[in-house]
Amino acid sequence: MKVIIRKNSAEGSLWAAHYIAARIKEKAARTNDPFVIGLCTGSTPIETYAELIRMVKAGELSFKNVISFNMDEYVGLPVEHPESYHSFMHKYLFDQIDEKPENIHILNGNAPDVEAECAAYEKAILDAGGFDLFLGGVGEDGHIAFNEPFSSLSSRTRVVTLTQDTREVNARFFDNDPSQVPAQALTVGVATVLSSKEVVILAFGSKKARALKDAIEGPMSHYCTLSGLQNHPAGTIVCDENSISEVKVSSYRYFKAVEAAENL
Ligand code: GLP
């Protein structure tokens, strides 16, 4: 696992956006096959998306040959609801880049048969060739996508029940009322994320410090599903001084030494 530490979220987001752009361009230079990316929602990726949008508008990057799959969506929330992940993604990314509408995939939390929806999603990912890169965030309790504590590290796309903690944290988007946050969601599994050739996780701010300590230094455990990244050959966490503040000084120094030695 690599850990990229930047001063703040603005610098970390720039690093992530430029890294993603470089990966998309590198594949485009090598093959005509599409670049398949997993995408996340939440406040964390907004600055990264803003930089990707800037690059597309400046003609420095194109999503014309990119296929995306979002990691999760609430169950039962109308697609047009301002806090649906469909609305979020269109507002903060898709409506401002040149990705083809048919290449955009987001789980349908209103599907009449959610299990069939999840199985079809896994198949669509495989049919697209599997993920080249998965961009994720992390919840305060270490959850990746909506894989709450005690989700199997072998889990695949499925319906999950959200923890009260997550509903309380996400209540800020729902009039500060946790009861308005849907109780269930569809989410890719931990194993779906880890099936990607590489995984980049963004985590900024002191509220993520415990999750990063558990994921980086703790045992690999279903209690902190981001810790599954320890078993991935190409996992990167992009963080800032606040979110990395709980790891040991020796761990911090090592990550900084790797950054310097490898010019990351
Ligand atoms: C939700 C999403 C996660 C996201 C997390 C953190 O739980 N399902 O994918 O990583 O929120 O959100 P934020 O970036 O707003 O802290």
Side-chain angles (χ1 to χ4, degrees):
M1 181 192 289
K2 286 207 161 66
V3 179
I4 305 292
I5 304 167
R6 288 293 180 267
K7 198 169 65 186
N8 51 36
S9 66
E11 290 185 14
S13 301
L14 277 187
W15 189 94
H18 291 174
Y19 185 80
I20 293 164
R23 304 306 287 151
I24 293 173
K25 289 183 201 175
E26 182 274 325
K27 187 166 185 183
R30 190 163 43 83
T31 164
N32 288 328
D33 291 345
F35 190 88
V36 183
I37 189 167
L39 295 173
C40 60
T41 52
S43 17
T44 308
I46 291 176
E47 289 174 285
T48 299
Y49 291 157
E51 178 63 6
L52 290 171
I53 291 165
R54 188 202 64 72
M55 283 188 265
V56 170
K57 289 189 170 160
E60 297 166 18
L61 175 68
S62 173
F63 277 74
K64 282 210 173 95
N65 202 23
V66 173
I67 298 179
S68 67
F69 290 85
N70 263 81
M71 43 171 43
D72 45 18
E73 178 57 288
Y74 292 111
V75 166
L77 198 64
V79 163
E80 59 281 3
H81 189 287
E83 297 306 335
S84 79
Y85 288 168
H86 281 73
S87 298
F88 176 98
M89 288 307 299
H90 281 278
K91 178 174 174 190
Y92 288 106
L93 188 66
F94 298 143
D95 291 353
Q96 301 180 69
I97 60 172
D98 57 351
E99 183 172 352
K100 294 178 189 151
E102 64 269 29
N103 286 348
I104 293 171
H105 301 84
I106 306 179
L107 282 155
N108 177 6
N110 294 292
D113 181 344
V114 285
E115 282 178 20
E117 169 70 10
C118 294
Y121 207 65
E122 286 280 338
K123 182 172 181 310
I125 293 165
L126 277 183
D127 290 349
F131 289 113
D132 291 291
L133 187 151
F134 213 121
L135 177 70
V138 62
E140 292 178 22
D141 58 7
H143 71 241
I144 179 164
F146 266 135
N147 293 287
E148 299 281 33
F150 314 118
S151 295
S152 165
L153 300 184
S154 307
S155 52
R156 289 281 174 176
T157 305
R158 68 205 187 289
V159 59
V160 292
T161 297
L162 302 183
T163 62
Q164 185 59 24
D165 278 359
T166 292
R167 293 177 79 196
E168 283 172 14
V169 168
N170 288 3
R172 68 192 192 279
F173 301 116
F174 292 86
D175 300 331
N176 289 316
D177 177 3
S179 72
Q180 285 185 39
V181 181
Q184 290 193 307
L186 302 187
T187 182
V188 296
V190 180
T192 317
V193 175
L194 298 181
S195 72
S196 178
K197 291 190 188 76
E198 63 181 311
V199 180
V200 176
I201 300 296
L202 307 175
F204 304 124
S206 52
K207 285 186 177 166
K208 304 296 170 72
R210 180 174 60 93
L212 287 199
K213 180 178 177 50
D214 290 348
I216 294 169
E217 294 181 333
M220 203 168 73
S221 160
H222 62 177
Y223 193 60
C224 168
T225 53
L226 179 58
S227 68
L229 194 63
Q230 294 174 16
N231 205 29
H232 193 282
T236 301
I237 292 176
V238 186
C239 58
D240 65 2
E241 295 288 350
N242 288 330
S243 59
I244 200 65
S245 59
E246 296 259 340
V247 301
K248 291 178 188 151
V249 172
S250 55
S251 308
Y252 177 93
R253 285 187 182 149
Y254 178 67
F255 298 136
K256 285 304 230 186
V258 172
E259 265 184 40
E262 299 184 15
N263 213 9
L264 298 172

